[in-house]
Amino acid sequence: MSDEQYPAEETTADEVYDFRAIQDRWLPVWDELEPFRAGREGDVRPRKYILDMFPYPSGDLHMGHAEAFCFGDIVSRYWRGQGFDVLHPIGWDSFGLPAENAAIKRGIDPREWTYSNIDQQKKSFRLYAPSFDWSRVLHTSDPEYYKWNQWLFLEMYKKGLAYRKASWVNWDPVDQTVLANEQVLDDGTSERSGAVVVKKKLTQWYFKITDYADRLLDDLNQLEGAWPAKVLSMQRNWIGRSIGAEVDFEVEGHPEKISVFTTRPDTLYGATFMVVAPDADLAADLVAEATPEVAEAFQSYLTAVQKTSEVDRQNAEREKTGVFLHRYAINPVSGERIPIWAADYVLADYGHGAVMAVPAHDQRDLDFARQFDLPVRVVVDTTAPVTGVLPVIEFDGEGVPILPDDIESIDPAVTGRALTGDGRLTNSGPLNGLSKTNAIRRAIEVLEERGTGRSAKTYRLRDWLISRQRYWGTPIPILHGEDGELIPVPQEQLPVRLPASEGLDLKPKGSSPLGAADAWATVVDPDTGRQLRRDPDTMDTFVDSSWYYLRFLSAQDGTQAFDPAEAEKWAPVDQYVGGVEHAILHLLYARFITKVLCDLGYVNFTEPFSAVLNQGMVLLDGSKMSKSKGNLVEFADELDEHGADALRLTLAFAGPPEEDVDWADVSVHGSAKFLARAWRVAKDVSSAPDVDWKKGDQALRRHTHRFLAEAPGLTESFKFNVVVARLMELTNVTRKVIDSGAGPADPAVREAAEVITVALSMFAPYTAEDMWHRLGYEATVANAQWRKASPTLLVEESVTAIIQVDGKVRDRVEVSPKISVEDLEALARASEAVARATVGRQIVNVIVRAPKIVNIATTTF
RNA sequence: GCCCCCAUAGCCCAAUUGGCAGAGGCAGAUGACUUAAAAUCAUCCAAGUGUGGGUUCGAGUCCCACUGGGGGUACCA
């Protein structure tokens, strides 16, 4: 055994693991080496693009950041160890309201608050040590960044994808700005300010995301398995495509037809009235020539509806309300005359703002019909079984189907329950006897033949409202002429810089602060000399984040938003890591903008993020941490007390990354203990780096190589907690070999220690770096490559075969892994334990799965 | 209401995807070290997988129903 100590100079017997000393020692070394700069000249390694959702600079980093960036970093460091050139950039999503609100509160410039927070976060990140490429840092509030936001806007404007329209918009009365649909929560409040959002009619800028609705929906199929199922389902839901038909109804005494959208054209014969949204223009048209009494009734109803809060209006339990407009529509297939009502259960901005009401087969229509005593007519007999696609039903002499006797017992008018199931069409002329599916198809054919309807699709998705009446955002690069003309700012004049906030009143007041900056807002056209006004609004900050992943590829490029050649090299992002709170907003917008950029020829892919990992939340005692509730774990405190490595390891080990972590359930101290343990193993290795591992302890080597065989798959499927557990196991085994086995000089001990060090560097880079150094290698372990598992070491010399009788373990035998089915069965049959267990029983079947298990099935005589 | 996910030891979590329920950690117990405690180290202890059925030679794993918890979504025609 060699007594050589390696490296000799700093290995002393009483040295203990000291995370502060280790951090202090290696941080400057890493700063010097910049090991994570990606895309260096001549680098021929295959590439991976790993991206964390960039942070918003509100104060210092918190535990949520610690978790998300920990996972992104594990993935990044893993792929680096697998021989990839990994791009793992960092930037700041630094435009937005909190900066502005803080600025108003303290009377300072939003820039000051924003950039000092960014500096603080950068410092914390440096110590936390994610493997960022610091040469590509971007801040969306830099003119060098938002210039390209403006470029993007103009590209979209040229294509007709950015447009202005007057519409009812969501207005946040606290922040005094409009909001996108996506920013309004279910309860009708603003996701940012919490205020109850009201509707206001304003002329605003929109991005035409609805043009991409089908692609945004259909392309989700490509992401199946690579994105969280939950996110896919939320996006599908949000886009909300409905397939059905448009049906045109004539209106008595009205020149224009009313079109309605329905998913159930098969029930057209059951439409006994029509309902229009009271706040739709259509309703106003219909009462225009009404009697004063009707007009007045409608007006007071409309006023009441508009006073109803969004919260109450969305409550489906609410009693149906409405008012009869004293107008009649004509059913295009039956010619039947049906009354038209206005009711707020019909939404003005979905479909055509009007529905054909089929109370027998739609619960809402039925509730309404029962409320106002309107007729209910069953046209689908849901008691008739549908056994095939072809109708099988008896008809009487006149072609009327013979219905079961008990149809009355399920009459929805009586039960109050609409019949929405499948069945046979009845009371429906040419549709009689058809199943629901066939009747839908046939009804559309009939409508198309008569020219009174057609198949149609409708979406829940609305166009993306992007203008904001606030200061701290990207100015919209449009000039307004006095005649209302819109003039795009020429490309060479970009960026349109934000004016200094000094002297501007940033307080929310319903109009953009930029409009008051006269010197900034007034522009004289050099050609014509006429005065133009700059658009006073700024862009939704989700525009900034919809393409930032591309800017990282050319962060320093002053000539273009990004270099398409770089995009071809790196994009799309291989792994995106971030919170599920962005499941709809950010991810949908980024997907949309990517498709637009693809159509414009700037990129050659249609989806920005090939895979997404949503980390869970960090909780304390079962609930979300918050300063006001007093249950807060401060990132800075944890970092100071336990160090970056212990904190990161704790997050990785706490459980599956997509699950929430309760800080009360984990032990940072336990993680620190393990780090010290692993570190001591490396410290104790006393063989030189060039020893021949093959001569080492074979049992330990098998453990090491089993780890090497398992860890990559586990890491790639994000089972970081299991990888850590396996590392602990391997460390324990190695410790035993050092203390009571082959000893610290055994070559297998060095092999195990090196494998532990390289794998541990994913979770605990400082500790691993120090271990790597003690093992005799140059910094940095981040460049160390994972070894491949040796197949010969994975084959066990003998395995334990289980012998069961009727599924219960009765015996076990040591066998060769290559044992034949016959031999194993013979061994099993020869077992005394089996003989005891089968006394008085007859063996009926023997299942052999060599070399693992034999199951003997028996029966009593 | 509809859709999705989850339920394994006191706690956090594993289980090669149908083959011995336990890898790892926390807590606990015992011992070593210490005048003592903390820290550290060593050893040990622990459930038959939420409930009821089914498929199978064999079920934590697949199927059905239920219970409990979490999430998404909803007058979207």
Side-chain angles (χ1 to χ4, degrees):
Chain A
M1 197 193 284
S2 164
D3 287 327
E4 191 190 352
Q5 297 284 304
Y6 202 100
E9 74 274 13
E10 65 236 328
T11 309
T12 58
D14 55 352
E15 222 185 338
V16 293
Y17 176 77
D18 174 356
F19 76 84
R20 281 178 227 277
I22 291 174
Q23 286 182 174
D24 290 348
R25 169 155 196 194
W26 295 109
L27 201 45
V29 175
W30 294 340
D31 286 347
E32 179 70 29
L33 289 174
E34 295 191 317
F36 308 117
R37 259 182 55 204
R40 293 181 202 245
E41 192 87 27
D43 196 327
V44 296
R45 289 177 293 174
R47 301 182 187 91
K48 285 269 180 196
Y49 186 0
I50 314 296
L51 184 64
D52 300 289
M53 290 184 186
F54 63 166
Y56 182 84
S58 54
D60 199 356
L61 299 179
H62 51 70
M63 289 303 288
H65 291 119
E67 192 192 24
F69 286 96
C70 169
F71 297 149
D73 201 46
I74 292 167
V75 175
S76 301
R77 289 177 184 269
Y78 169 75
W79 287 112
R80 223 171 259 120
Q82 298 293 327
F84 285 77
D85 186 9
V86 173
L87 174 58
H88 186 210
I90 182 69
W92 275 267
D93 188 15
S94 50
F95 264 145
L97 274 183
E100 202 164 336
N101 292 340
I104 293 162
K105 206 167 144 193
R106 301 169 200 196
I108 54 170
D109 190 294
R111 283 169 189 79
E112 211 179 306
W113 184 86
T114 301
Y115 287 92
S116 83
N117 282 340
I118 290 175
D119 281 346
Q120 179 56 49
Q121 294 195 348
K122 278 182 183 165
K123 279 196 197 107
S124 299
F125 267 139
R126 178 172 169 269
L127 185 59
Y128 195 54
S131 57
F132 292 143
D133 180 346
W134 287 101
S135 71
R136 297 170 186 257
V137 171
L138 62 81
H139 317 109
T140 57
S141 54
D142 290 347
E144 294 74 29
Y145 185 87
Y146 68 71
K147 171 180 180 175
W148 303 110
N149 258 352
Q150 293 169 341
W151 165 82
L152 175 67
F153 178 94
L154 293 175
E155 288 287 300
M156 302 208 25
Y157 182 72
K158 275 188 256 169
K159 279 278 168 186
L161 291 168
Y163 69 98
R164 264 159 76 87
K165 74 171 174 191
S167 176
W168 290 99
V169 299
N170 303 303
W171 179 260
D172 182 330
V174 169
D175 281 337
Q176 295 272 315
T177 184
V178 300
L179 299 173
N181 277 354
E182 289 81 354
Q183 289 168 311
V184 182
L185 303 181
D186 309 341
D187 62 358
T189 61
S190 160
E191 60 142 13
R192 200 170 282 282
S193 72
V196 173
V197 172
V198 297
K199 291 283 180 184
K200 215 171 170 177
K201 196 154 198 171
L202 289 173
T203 300
Q204 298 283 312
W205 285 100
Y206 290 82
F207 279 170
K208 218 167 175 22
I209 193 171
T210 51
D211 271 11
Y212 285 74
D214 278 327
R215 287 167 67 187
L216 286 167
L217 185 66
D218 295 337
D219 288 357
L220 289 172
N221 295 336
Q222 300 168 22
L223 306 172
E224 204 73 54
W227 279 39
K230 186 177 165 181
V231 174
L232 294 176
S233 111
M234 284 168 78
Q235 293 226 350
R236 289 192 177 108
N237 237 315
W238 188 261
I239 296 164
R241 181 165 66 194
S242 292
I243 294 172
E246 226 169 48
V247 187
D248 306 330
F249 285 73
E250 300 267 7
V251 179
E252 276 183 7
H254 191 73
E256 280 144 46
K257 290 182 175 181
I258 297 178
S259 293
V260 302
F261 175 76
T262 177
T263 54
R264 293 293 304 274
D266 57 318
T267 62
L268 191 46
Y269 284 85
T272 50
F273 56 101
M274 179 181 272
V275 186
V276 299
D279 46 347
D281 294 342
L282 176 61
D285 283 358
L286 288 173
V287 291
E289 293 149 38
T291 61
E293 293 79 33
V294 172
E296 196 185 316
F298 172 76
Q299 266 315 324
S300 67
Y301 180 63
L302 178 60
T303 311
V305 166
Q306 282 172 334
K307 265 195 273 182
T308 313
S309 73
E310 206 59 20
V311 190
D312 291 340
R313 191 164 171 179
Q314 285 185 8
N315 180 3
E317 307 297 303
R318 204 163 55 104
E319 241 182 31
K320 293 280 181 292
T321 58
V323 56
F324 180 37
L325 300 184
H326 291 265
R327 305 292 296 250
Y328 291 88
I330 308 300
N331 186 317
V333 286
S334 66
E336 194 181 359
R337 188 170 176 263
I338 58 174
I340 304 176
W341 288 64
D344 68 353
Y345 80 91
V346 172
L347 307 178
D349 57 358
Y350 185 81
H352 298 280
V355 302
M356 61 177 217
V358 186
H361 305 290
D362 181 284
Q363 192 60 49
R364 295 153 303 178
D365 295 341
L366 181 62
D367 294 343
F368 191 82
R370 282 156 58 90
Q371 184 78 28
F372 294 100
D373 212 15
L374 293 160
V376 177
R377 186 189 310 138
V378 172
V379 292
V380 183
D381 171 15
T382 52
T383 63
V386 180
T387 49
V389 252
L390 292 171
V392 183
I393 197 158
E394 300 287 307
F395 293 89
D396 65 13
E398 283 150 287
V400 178
I402 301 162
L403 297 169
D405 295 337
D406 63 346
I407 188 155
E408 289 300 324
S409 67
I410 52 156
D411 183 352
V414 177
T415 62
R417 289 186 62 115
L419 307 172
T420 53
D422 204 350
R424 297 267 166 224
L425 270 287
T426 179
N427 296 323
S428 294
L431 306 179
N432 280 341
L434 295 173
S435 71
K436 177 172 156 181
T437 319
N438 287 337
I440 288 173
R441 199 178 311 143
R442 181 71 197 128
I444 291 171
E445 281 168 18
V446 169
L447 288 166
E448 281 175 348
E449 281 160 17
R450 301 186 185 188
T452 53
R454 58 214 66 85
S455 67
K457 284 185 288 189
T458 303
Y459 305 87
R460 208 184 95 105
L461 182 71
R462 296 296 130 71
D463 276 340
W464 175 12
L465 199 175
I466 61 143
S467 22
R468 296 292 181 273
Q469 289 69 50
R470 297 303 297 256
Y471 171 78
W472 193 232
T474 304
I476 291 175
I478 290 286
L479 298 165
H480 296 261
E482 273 173 18
D483 49 0
E485 192 190 355
L486 300 174
I487 304 148
V489 174
Q491 170 71 40
E492 60 276 11
Q493 288 176 24
L494 299 184
V496 176
R497 286 171 185 272
L498 274 178
S501 69
E502 220 177 11
L504 286 183
D505 179 13
L506 300 186
K507 286 198 193 69
K509 57 193 173 299
S511 63
S512 175
L514 294 182
D518 268 326
W520 175 85
T522 311
V523 178
V524 177
D525 186 329
D527 298 331
T528 62
R530 65 190 172 145
Q531 281 218 338
L532 305 171
R533 294 284 294 179
R534 288 196 189 280
D535 196 294
D537 287 352
T538 51
M539 292 182 213
D540 181 3
T541 55
F542 279 108
V543 176
D544 313 1
S545 54
S546 65
W547 68 281
Y548 78 110
Y549 74 99
L550 290 165
R551 183 64 187 169
F552 279 129
L553 308 179
S554 315
Q556 317 294 344
D557 196 330
T559 65
Q560 54 192 336
F562 60 92
D563 182 348
E566 290 292 304
E568 190 152 357
K569 266 163 54 181
W570 293 101
V573 172
D574 293 289
Q575 182 65 56
Y576 200 29
V577 180
V580 73
E581 65 272 20
H582 292 115
I584 298 171
L585 294 145
H586 163 57
L587 291 177
L588 188 69
Y589 295 148
R591 296 181 59 226
F592 163 53
I593 294 298
T594 300
K595 289 175 198 303
V596 171
L597 289 171
C598 181
D599 290 351
L600 293 171
Y602 292 104
V603 299
N604 60 3
F605 51 87
T606 57
E607 286 293 336
F609 311 120
S610 304
V612 170
L613 171 65
N614 289 138
Q615 83 277 6
M617 284 188 302
V618 185
L619 310 175
L620 185 58
D621 294 321
S623 51
K624 220 172 160 173
M625 295 195 282
S626 81
K627 212 170 265 175
S628 55
K629 272 191 281 174
N631 66 331
L632 197 65
V633 177
E634 289 281 6
F635 170 76
D637 297 347
E638 296 293 308
L639 196 56
D640 186 56
E641 193 178 336
H642 302 285
D645 282 358
L647 183 50
R648 293 163 57 124
L649 189 75
T650 303
L651 288 161
F653 185 51
E658 56 278 359
E659 301 289 316
D660 292 347
V661 186
D662 194 325
W663 212 243
D665 292 334
V666 300
S667 165
V668 191
H669 180 246
S671 303
K673 249 166 47 178
F674 165 67
L675 289 174
R677 210 173 151 74
W679 181 84
R680 257 180 278 124
V681 163
K683 183 175 77 96
D684 290 348
V685 169
S686 61
S687 56
D690 57 358
V691 286
D692 184 1
W693 297 339
K694 294 199 180 72
K695 293 181 183 143
D697 181 85
Q698 290 302 295
L700 177 56
R701 294 204 71 207
R702 261 196 283 278
H703 270 108
T704 304
H705 283 260
R706 213 178 305 137
F707 174 83
L708 285 172
E710 274 194 319
L714 290 169
T715 310
E716 285 170 38
S717 52
F718 311 130
K719 294 182 173 183
F720 310 135
N721 54 325
V722 185
V723 179
V724 174
R726 296 279 181 271
L727 261 176
M728 290 173 166
E729 192 183 3
L730 182 57
T731 304
N732 290 345
V733 171
T734 310
R735 179 81 256 160
K736 284 209 177 79
V737 173
I738 293 172
D739 291 344
S740 52
D746 189 277
V749 168
R750 166 167 282 276
E751 182 185 33
E754 291 191 6
V755 167
I756 290 167
T757 302
V758 173
L760 187 64
S761 75
M762 298 193 293
F763 309 104
Y766 289 105
T767 306
E769 192 72 81
D770 208 63
M771 290 164 69
W772 195 237
H773 173 71
R774 279 160 193 282
L775 288 165
Y777 297 105
E778 291 286 309
T780 167
V781 70
N783 290 330
Q785 295 300 292
W786 282 61
R787 307 208 165 267
K788 296 277 170 289
S790 155
T792 53
L793 284 165
L794 297 176
V795 181
E796 299 289 340
E797 282 166 348
S798 75
V799 295
T800 308
I802 306 303
I803 298 169
Q804 299 179 332
V805 176
D806 296 323
K808 290 193 185 67
V809 180
R810 295 300 183 191
D811 201 1
R812 45 197 78 195
V813 286
E814 288 296 309
V815 299
S816 152
K818 285 173 287 197
I819 191 166
S820 70
V821 170
E822 294 75 18
D823 290 352
L824 186 55
E825 179 170 347
L827 274 177
R829 284 180 183 273
S831 159
E832 279 178 38
V834 167
R836 277 196 300 277
T838 53
V839 167
R841 303 182 72 82
Q842 185 180 10
I843 294 174
V844 291
N845 194 7
V846 180
I847 289 97
V848 183
R849 294 281 178 273
K852 291 166 85 176
I853 196 160
V854 179
N855 191 10
I856 298 170
T858 69
T859 181
T860 46
F861 289 106

